[in-house]
Structure formats: C-alpha cells, structure tokens
Amino acid sequence: MSIDRQNDIIDILFADEVPPDWAVHGFFLQGGIYTIGGEPGAGKSSLCYTLAIAAATGVPALSGIVPPIEPK
C-alpha cells in the first residue's frame, strides 16, 4: 500500500483559506499561550487587564488598535 504524499501537499496548497479564530483580533489567537515581558512598571499588567476587559465585553481597546469583537 503506497501513500501519495504529493496529493496531500497539493490539497493543502490549494485548500480554501480559513480565517483564524481570534481571542483579541490581530493580537492573540483563541487557545494560544503567550508571554508578555518587560521592565517592572512598564505596563504589562495594565495591558493584560485592558485586553481582558475588551475581550470579555466586546468593546474596542487601546485607542481603537483592538477593534470591537463578539464578547468571549
């Protein structure tokens, strides 16, 4: 029994593009694991709180950089 890998690759290359499922549009994909690093007092916690509130409520954040989305 032979496996035809060439057809698998062609199927992948010509498959319809599926838009990603964003947790925060343009920043974080749903189900991803991310690390935010920086100096103490740089605003890491404030950024995380702002993005979490935007994702939970569906409101825009960061002066419109993060657009409004369906609440999660």
Side-chain angles (χ1 to χ4, degrees), residues 54-59 68-72:
T57 61
V59 299
I69 58 170
E70 184 69 28
K72 304 285 184 193

Side-chain angles (χ1 to χ4, degrees), residues 7-72:
N7 284 338
D8 292 341
I9 293 170
I10 291 172
D11 290 341
I12 291 169
L13 289 174
F14 292 102
D16 291 333
E17 186 174 339
V18 177
D21 187 18
W22 294 103
V24 176
H25 187 76
F27 285 89
F28 302 111
L29 291 172
Q30 186 75 26
I33 297 174
Y34 301 93
T35 301
I36 297 176
E39 295 291 324
K44 300 177 298 291
S45 295
S46 297
L47 173 66
C48 291
Y49 296 145
T50 300
L51 293 175
I53 290 169
T57 61
V59 299
L62 304 176
S63 298
I65 294 173
V66 177
I69 58 170
E70 184 69 28
K72 304 285 184 193

